[in-house]
Amino acid sequence: MADTKREIERKYEARGRDTDATSLPDLTAVGGVSALVHRGVTELDAVYYDTADQRLAAASITLRRRTGGDDAGWHLKLPVADGVRDEIRAPLSAGVPRALVGLVRSRIRDAPLLPVVRLRSLRDVHHLVDSDGALLAELSVDVVTADRLSGGDGSTGWTEIEVELADDQEPAFLDKVEKKLKKGGLRRSKSASKLARALAETAPVPVAAPAPAADAVPPSGAVSAGAGPVSEAVPGPGTGTEAGPAPDAVAAPGAVPVSAPAPVSAPGAGPDPVVPPHTAAAPVLAYLTVQRDALVTLDPAVRRDEHDSVHRMRVATRRMRSTFRSYGKVLDRTVTDPIADELKWLAGELGVDRDAEVLTERLTGHLTGLPRTLTAGPVRTRLRTWAHARRGGSRRRLIAVLDGKRYLTLLNRIDALLAAPPLLPAAHRDPAKVIHKAAAKDFGKLSALVEDALARPRGPERDLAMHDARKKAKRLRYAAEAALDTLGAPAKDAVRGAKALQGLLGEHQDSVMTRGALRDIAAQAQGARESSFTYGLVYGREEHLAAGYEDALPEAWEEAQRRTREIRGTR
């Protein structure tokens, strides 16, 4: 069973291999520190795992199996911010724990995990404590020896000082410690982690290839620069064109075997496509790249059930789909439409979990505000049972989706598209003109739907029209987001207008869904011979809220029209 610890630490360059605690500045002079308590010397032995092309290292992720010390086991460290990582731990085992493999699946895809570096550390540990003996931070002087296990055979060694903040302490305390250490002649480590330093210092020295003869004939099938779009991505690390690990490379215990390497070296790790900066293709591809990176980064957060992670991942899929449609004159839709269909499938799978989450929060909010006299029967228990049944099944299904071949194939296809984008003639034109035209087209579709909704009487038909308008408002918003760096203020204003309209229409749709859920829950309660009075009361409140959203639509629509005028190129 894996557990998580938030790790906030800083590393410093030592002055030599003989550095020890006696050469440190007096840290009892740091505000709040009463004593530096020696906790002894520990021998640590860790083997770090990665793919042959170091996809985890490229994302500042580390996966290790460590023995020695009081936290022996498997450790997966995911970056959160500078100097902040989430460490997910699992007990010692022969192979990489399945739960940890899942958390890096979006990075490694189908590539096997191999031992890449062995780090042995002699750790001299000291505790910085306050006057009550409470731990403020742990300081360790690590004498490190690193040996390359795959991708080379180099060795190196160094000494570093690590200061890790104790649980529930303020990060500002590390600033005070750092000030004292710097006065003592130390400096922040240039490497983000021990693994990063080990990989850099044990990397094989590249051998320059001999220059080809002037009359050399290009190899068969070679594509010269500027030859235009090609059907396949340019081969690179991990594409199946390079030699794999040496025959005697050590395979990770429990490594996932694959029939062929992943078609893309790593999400975002390969060279970006050569796109002229002042063309319509540049902002569109940059926006799509951000969404691709969001998908990959949010994958482990969704698996860990972090707050709002499912929603943010779902939004990334929608942004990509909308961009493909809005800028269909930039990227060939015969290529992007099949990917958009798969993104729609993924969004649907994510939506099962997200919709249950939204409805539960909304219903809980209603019940929290109700007086006890209006709560008839076991309402909260009934709601918990309903929510658990919906969410429990959806969570299991979602994890199965993220572990499935279809999802990994989708990520690979997105990478391939970004590596070799299917550009159309408009991709090379003035970005402002192309963006204005796309925004005007999206606005026209949105306008027709809003006007249709306003013309309909209250009821299911208007509800459906408002829901369709909401989706088109999102598309206009995302098209404007892609243009922020290109158009500046007009795009920013359009994003605000479309977002406000989308928010109003979204609240209305949430009310429609909540009323549907209330009907289901009330039916279950009646079947169990419980009172349905409270569910009817909440239903009435939701009807009142929905009417308010509908009444506010004309004004919101007028404001959205005003804010989007410039990006649409109208006066």
Side-chain angles (χ1 to χ4, degrees):
M1 190 70 172
D3 62 290
T4 303
K5 180 182 183 299
R6 177 61 55 89
E7 181 184 81
I8 303 176
E9 66 178 22
R10 297 180 187 179
K11 299 179 186 295
Y12 300 89
E13 300 281 354
R15 288 167 287 191
R17 287 186 61 87
D18 297 330
T19 298
D20 57 28
T22 62
S23 60
L24 294 173
D26 180 14
L27 295 176
T28 59
V30 175
V33 178
S34 178
L36 189 67
V37 181
H38 187 225
R39 303 295 295 178
V41 178
T42 304
E43 292 185 14
L44 305 175
D45 192 341
V47 175
Y48 287 78
Y49 288 74
D50 205 336
T51 60
D53 49 8
Q54 298 174 20
R55 303 180 188 188
L56 299 186
S60 300
I61 295 172
T62 61
L63 173 63
R64 72 186 179 201
R65 184 184 188 274
R66 189 166 79 180
T67 57
D70 57 5
D71 64 346
W74 286 92
H75 304 155
L76 173 66
K77 298 190 178 186
L78 302 173
V80 176
D82 184 27
V84 182
R85 295 185 293 183
D86 277 344
E87 182 178 275
I88 299 96
R89 300 175 177 177
L92 281 173
S93 60
V96 183
R98 186 181 182 88
L100 300 190
V101 174
L103 292 176
V104 296
R105 179 62 70 200
S106 66
R107 299 284 182 182
I108 68 173
R109 311 290 165 83
D110 288 329
L113 289 167
L114 309 170
V116 292
V117 166
R118 182 185 183 187
L119 289 180
R120 285 167 288 177
S121 303
L122 195 63
R123 170 164 288 185
D124 191 3
V125 180
H126 291 75
H127 283 180
L128 281 66
V129 299
D130 63 15
S131 57
D132 296 325
L135 179 64
L136 301 174
E138 180 177 283
L139 181 147
S140 61
V141 180
D142 294 341
V143 180
V144 183
T145 301
D147 298 300
R148 192 74 167 236
L149 301 179
S150 64
D153 58 0
S155 296
T156 188
W158 69 90
T159 299
E160 72 176 26
I161 295 168
E162 183 177 290
V163 183
E164 181 175 346
L165 191 69
D167 294 341
D168 302 322
Q169 296 297 326
E170 292 296 325
F173 175 73
L174 293 181
D175 294 334
K176 295 190 289 184
V177 174
E178 179 169 299
K179 185 177 181 180
K180 193 67 176 177
L181 291 176
K182 285 185 174 180
K183 284 185 177 180
L186 300 178
R187 65 179 182 181
R188 283 278 197 107
S189 175
K190 296 178 181 179
S191 299
S193 66
K194 289 182 176 67
L195 175 62
R197 181 167 181 172
L199 289 172
E201 295 186 5
T202 64
V205 177
V207 178
D215 57 350
V217 178
S220 176
V223 180
S224 61
V230 294
S231 60
E232 295 182 354
V234 178
T239 60
T241 61
E242 292 190 332
D248 58 348
V250 181
V256 181
V258 293
S259 57
V264 178
S265 62
D272 293 331
V274 179
V275 177
H278 303 299
T279 62
V284 172
L285 291 173
Y287 188 69
L288 289 171
T289 299
V290 170
Q291 306 317 315
R292 184 277 312 274
D293 292 347
L295 282 178
V296 172
T297 302
L298 286 166
D299 178 292
V302 169
R303 292 172 185 269
R304 295 167 63 198
D305 201 18
E306 290 186 10
H307 175 69
D308 205 37
S309 58
V310 170
H311 171 61
R312 287 183 290 147
M313 191 173 187
R314 193 182 186 190
V315 167
T317 67
R318 287 172 170 169
R319 283 178 165 142
M320 293 195 80
R321 288 174 57 215
S322 290
T323 303
F324 288 151
R325 292 176 179 175
S326 294
Y327 296 104
K329 298 296 184 181
V330 174
L331 298 175
D332 187 351
R333 288 195 58 175
T334 62
V335 178
T336 62
D337 277 356
I339 297 176
D341 289 341
E342 290 300 281
L343 287 167
K344 183 178 181 180
W345 159 77
L346 179 58
E349 296 292 349
L350 291 165
V352 175
D353 201 45
R354 172 60 181 168
D355 291 345
E357 183 180 291
V358 169
L359 292 176
T360 302
E361 289 179 358
R362 194 172 180 101
L363 289 169
T364 301
H366 278 300
L367 296 179
T368 301
L370 279 180
R372 286 190 176 183
T373 54
L374 298 180
T375 305
V379 177
R380 285 180 171 79
T381 301
R382 172 62 59 189
L383 175 58
R384 283 195 298 268
T385 302
W386 175 85
H388 180 74
R390 287 176 61 99
R391 188 160 165 75
S394 62
R395 283 293 303 167
R396 289 190 296 271
R397 178 181 174 85
L398 180 55
I399 297 304
V401 166
L402 297 182
D403 284 335
K405 183 178 180 179
R406 184 175 180 179
Y407 167 67
L408 296 180
T409 299
L410 170 59
L411 295 181
N412 286 336
R413 292 176 70 183
I414 295 171
D415 286 344
L417 179 137
L418 292 173
L423 303 180
L424 295 175
H428 306 285
R429 295 173 185 159
D430 176 16
K433 292 182 179 179
V434 172
I435 289 168
H436 282 312
K437 189 172 182 179
K441 185 177 180 180
D442 285 343
F443 180 85
K445 294 179 179 179
L446 171 62
S447 179
L449 288 169
V450 173
E451 296 298 340
D452 178 52
L454 291 173
R456 293 182 181 273
R458 298 188 193 275
E461 290 187 356
R462 174 182 272 196
D463 292 343
L464 182 60
M466 290 180 69
H467 180 48
D468 289 341
R470 176 197 181 197
K471 290 186 286 187
K472 290 298 184 290
K474 286 181 182 179
R475 184 183 300 183
L476 178 60
R477 171 189 169 186
Y478 299 152
E481 284 180 350
L484 283 172
D485 290 340
T486 303
L487 300 184
K492 189 174 183 180
D493 206 31
V495 169
R496 288 175 176 170
K499 185 177 180 180
L501 179 64
Q502 172 196 331
L504 176 70
L505 294 170
E507 288 289 343
H508 181 270
Q509 178 62 17
D510 286 348
S511 177
V512 172
M513 293 177 64
T514 302
R515 280 176 277 160
L518 283 166
R519 287 192 293 268
D520 292 341
I521 299 172
Q524 293 174 16
Q526 287 180 328
R529 297 186 177 181
E530 298 167 4
S531 172
S532 59
F533 167 79
T534 302
Y535 309 116
L537 177 64
V538 174
Y539 190 98
R541 288 190 171 189
E542 280 290 354
E543 279 190 321
H544 179 72
L545 288 172
Y549 301 141
E550 294 177 36
D551 291 341
L553 179 57
E555 183 177 349
W557 173 230
E558 184 177 338
E559 177 67 7
Q561 293 180 83
R562 184 185 68 80
R563 285 185 173 273
T564 57
R565 281 175 182 166
E566 285 193 65
I567 195 174
R568 290 186 283 121
T570 61
R571 294 182 181 274

